[in-house]
Amino acid sequence: MTQDPKTPNAFEKLLAPLALVHPVNLECGREEDGYDLWLRYRPLAGDAKSRLAARAASIVVPADPSTTMLAAVAELHRALGCMLGTVPALGKHADEGAIVLATPASMPTLASHAPLEKLGADGFAVRADTVDGQRVTLIAANSDVGVLYGVFAWLRAVMLGRDPGRVDEVSAPKVRFRMLNHWDNLDRSVERGYAGESIWDWWKLPDVKDPRYVDYARANASLGINAVSLNNVSSKPEMLLPQFIAKAAALADVFRPYGIKVYFAARFSAPVELDRLPTADPLDPKVCAWWNAKADEIYEAIPDFGGFIVKANSEGQPGPHDYGRDHADGANMMARALAPHGGMVMWRAFVYSPADPEDRHKQAYTDFKPLDGKFLPNVMVQVKNGAIDFQPREPFHPMFGAMPKTPLVLEFQVTKEYLGFATHLAYLGTMWEEVLRADTHANGPGSTVAKVTDGTVHGHALTGMAAVANIGTHRTWCGSHFDQANWYAYGRFTWDPHAAARDLARDWVVQTFATDAATTDAIVAMMMMSREAVVDYMMPLGLHHLFDTGHHHGPGPWVSELARPEWNPTYYHRADKEGIGFDRSASGSDAVAQYAPEVAKAWSDPRTTPDELLLWFHHLPWDFRMKSGKTLWEEMVAHYDGGVAAAVELRKRWEAVKGHVDARRHGETATLLRVQEREAIWWRDACIAYFQSLNGLPMPPGTTAPALMLAEYKSRTFPYAPGRGLPPVA
Ligand code: BDP
């Protein structure tokens, strides 16, 4: 349905302050190309249409609506216009069939209709209710952004096929800072980005505000994401120059109605680089004054600026160690500058030293544990889900549960740097669920990472999750259709870290493909098996970081000559003629001792360590007897074969749903699944050929030898693989 933009109607007048580009010029029902993400609002028919129409007779908007309230109205307008083909009227009263948007400020009697005390600042209640004797849909919250979230929740329920007249949902987020971290450079390249360029068109900002920014904000708000850091954590000082602050301010203006605050990744040495201060020592009064003034300048342009995220003393980034200070000194200096404005510092714990020979697994904990309790109240320490990096599987980071006095931000990576870029299908919901449900035992059994993250284990009110975004200029936003599911699932986990990966997958499939139950089941099943498939064909049994250098595309278990030991895959697998694996038990690096005694005990002994983490914690002989009765070598080959079989299975299952998914998205996905199958075989063969070259063992009976000689796999180079961004990183 398209409305004539020349005839301004009541909606257009109402929504004018939002300054959306053609907010009422709806374009519904065009070919599916992935752009609409899970907010597709396809036209309804039959009963579904009449049921919705009966519940969408009018929209009642509070008087003097904020731009956030207008964003809620705009979304209803867009969604109902597309799904019904007609736009409901704007109503003043709660007439029969109205959708009533309400906060205590707009409806003094609201408390008798909605459990406001349960909703907190961002929660909502969406319910079929009777107001003044009329049956209405009440979307209630304590704040306007809560109403916006409620609108998205109601629309989701409609898209999931629920009866719009029976929706009854009361929900509040369990995490306060629900953040996306863009690793976007100022030249628009994206570090570890596989979906095109950065969507921030820095060059044209602040003048040109791409309408895509609004769609980006809508998508985030639909999940509850409320914080966005704009630039790469391996940051450039120029982000803090006035011209970039102005560009960021323009983005902040677009995002504000959607409840999203912007953050910057701040470079620790910026005072030296931008203003030639002789030092960036965090205890130097001139340096502190520089940051104070910089914070004032930023808040002048962006009054609701979120704060800084900082990668310091890690992978070449400057930091307080350069001046003999510790991470708390650095973080607190910035925190003091931001505190008068209500800003936060998210200080990353992803640090490992270029000089320290200690097991990389142990270094962050060793650095940060003694600092517990030393950070100012507006500092959170941001910790990756695993101890080393974003590997296909890692044990949870030992800092979870070990920092009782420090609020932690749990950091995930949505972009699939280590799980096949945007060409492999890997639903990460299952990986994140595994981490979130892992038991730290910090405060007795049941002290899961989710409960550390939601603040309940240590009683923190400041809670946060962050993830490296997978978003770029590609039409699908994420580089492939299925990669959208990872943005989606991550966002939903930030709202509720106790959610189930399968439920989120199902919701995403129904919203995204809107197909019959059998097809939905088939696609959900594909998603649920996909991450384990990648683990199996890349690095099973706790192996990690077998990637080729720099770009991390494809296998490179043989790489051993890079300057820093921990940049080499051989550092992680330690394979030789006798055995394989990293001994992190007491006889090795003793990284296990960084976990609570219950966890350490289980992971200290290969017989009680789960197979999935075996070689992460133990160096074992190739003939080690596995729980299955197979030798370690046989088991490893079986996993590699299982991974390839699963990739074949994914391709076949997708072929089977042909005709049940629109042709374009089906075809594009089918092509990628063929790539995945081919690369799964490559991974399997290259790794087996390499390990076999060390152990000299024959292929287990019934298995197939690698197709090519090891030298052929070793000779492959990918100088132009995507995602390296600037500057070059290892
Ligand atoms: C590593 C990436 C690197 C990032 C780093 C980080 O390879 O590009 O800069 O993480 O998180 O996994 O800072």
Side-chain angles (χ1 to χ4, degrees), residues 396-463:
F396 70 86
H397 200 298
M399 283 174 68
F400 290 106
M403 302 283 288
K405 296 184 193 139
T406 310
L408 302 182
V409 176
L410 167 59
E411 180 178 332
F412 287 136
Q413 191 180 44
V414 185
T415 190
K416 300 208 313 301
E417 174 181 1
Y418 299 107
L419 286 105
F421 294 5
T423 29
H424 294 203
L425 193 167
Y427 170 54
L428 304 183
T430 49
M431 176 161 91
W432 300 329
E433 178 182 70
E434 180 178 303
V435 174
L436 288 161
R437 293 188 180 180
D439 195 347
T440 70
H441 285 269
N443 221 346
S447 306
T448 58
V449 172
K451 287 190 183 165
V452 173
T453 304
D454 73 15
T456 50
V457 168
H458 299 304
H460 288 301
L462 283 188
T463 52

Side-chain angles (χ1 to χ4, degrees), residues 183 191-192 232-234 311 314-315 348 350 352 360 384 388-391 411 413 417-418 468 545 550 552 723-724 729-730:
W183 284 0
E191 184 157 323
R192 313 313 181 183
N232 192 352
V233 287
S234 296
K311 172 177 178 177
S314 175
E315 299 184 333
R348 292 179 89 228
F350 178 69
Y352 58 104
R360 179 173 161 190
K384 287 191 182 181
I388 291 203
D389 215 331
F390 297 119
Q391 297 300 293
E411 180 178 332
Q413 191 180 44
E417 174 181 1
Y418 299 107
V468 186
H545 234 315
H552 298 156
R724 298 208 49 185
V729 283

Side-chain angles (χ1 to χ4, degrees), residues 540-543 578-581 611 614-615 618-640 695 697 700:
L541 299 174
L543 289 172
E578 312 304 327
I580 182 168
D611 279 3
L614 192 64
L615 301 176
H618 302 285
H619 185 85
L620 298 169
W622 290 106
D623 62 358
F624 176 81
R625 203 46 74 183
M626 301 289 294
K627 296 183 186 86
S628 65
K630 293 192 179 87
T631 65
L632 172 56
W633 171 238
E634 290 163 352
E635 184 85 22
M636 185 184 290
V637 174
H639 274 274
Y640 275 113
N695 65 20
L697 292 169

